[in-house]
Amino acid sequence: MKKSLGPNTLAQPAPVWAVGSYDEEGKPNAMIAAWGGICGSDPACLTVSVRPGRHTFAGIMKHRAFTVSVCPAPLAAEADYLGMVSGKKTDKFADTGLTPVKSDCVNAPYVDEFPLIIECELRETVDLGVHVMFVGEIRDVKCDEDKLVDGKHPDPEKILPLIFSPGTRAYHTVGQQVAKGFDAGRKYLKKD
């Protein structure tokens, strides 16, 4: 029997994404966002939701761009720190030893040590109460070459992306591949 948990943010899993932007003075900053995902394929778009009071919010609004750096499991402590403090008060890159890199296609920095980067131009915003959802049109995806399958697709088993469990506030990572998409369900296709 399933137990009702009420209206809550308990979808599993949530990403652990470092959302990069330049602040209003042009200083690189990154914050962790767990509320996000792919939202469109043509044009390719993703969303991240940020509270208006966050330092990152003003930077994204000013520069109309942001990046998503997918956090790998070995850098969980660095990623966690990016979500614990405000870039208004400290230089998170200097504190963690992470390296900001200026995107070559949008006006935002990304985290060099994180293996998968998505560079976005702000397409629109949606007010959702305490959060504003940024819809970013993906301008480029960059991945460390040694983290690719067949030289063209990011491999989650090599990237080991952090995922977040909102209810327990715990980080996890992905496991082994269990099936091929658009293949495993073929046994249920009707024969014509």
Side-chain angles (χ1 to χ4, degrees):
M1 183 162 103
K2 293 183 177 34
K3 178 181 177 181
S4 174
L5 302 175
N8 210 321
T9 56
L10 299 177
Q12 297 282 323
V16 178
W17 286 349
V19 178
S21 65
Y22 289 112
D23 70 12
E24 291 181 289
E25 285 75 48
K27 184 178 95 177
N29 185 51
M31 67 165 275
I32 292 300
W35 300 168
I38 296 295
C39 64
S41 54
D42 189 12
C45 292
L46 62 73
T47 66
V48 293
S49 293
V50 178
R51 291 177 184 235
R54 299 287 188 238
H55 189 56
T56 298
F57 184 91
I60 292 173
M61 292 301 289
K62 177 176 181 176
H63 300 287
R64 310 293 296 168
F66 62 92
T67 63
V68 167
S69 299
V70 176
C71 307
L75 296 174
E78 290 83 349
D80 193 45
Y81 181 78
L82 295 178
M84 294 172 61
V85 299
S86 173
K88 285 181 189 175
K89 298 178 182 176
T90 189
D91 181 338
K92 296 188 226 182
F93 284 101
D95 294 349
T96 58
L98 296 172
T99 309
V101 175
K102 180 174 178 28
S103 165
D104 56 9
C105 62
V106 300
N107 190 19
Y110 61 83
V111 181
D112 193 39
E113 292 79 5
F114 292 3
L116 180 60
I117 309 302
I118 305 161
E119 298 161 301
C120 299
E121 182 179 302
L122 183 60
R123 184 176 173 101
E124 68 180 88
T125 61
V126 180
D127 186 340
L128 298 173
V130 298
H131 286 85
V132 170
M133 182 175 64
F134 292 123
V135 178
E137 186 168 337
I138 299 170
R139 294 300 185 189
D140 195 21
V141 176
K142 293 175 172 49
C143 188
D144 291 349
E145 288 187 53
D146 65 341
K147 304 290 191 272
L148 295 172
V149 174
D150 299 328
K152 56 186 170 183
H153 300 288
D155 184 343
E157 290 184 34
K158 293 178 182 175
I159 292 171
L160 291 175
L162 280 179
I163 52 179
F164 183 66
S165 175
T168 60
R169 298 176 63 172
Y171 297 113
H172 300 268
T173 192
V174 297
Q176 296 177 334
Q177 176 181 307
V178 295
K180 284 285 204 183
F182 301 96
D183 184 58
R186 287 183 184 275
K187 66 183 183 179
Y188 298 106
L189 290 175
K190 305 277 189 239
K191 306 277 190 231
D192 289 334

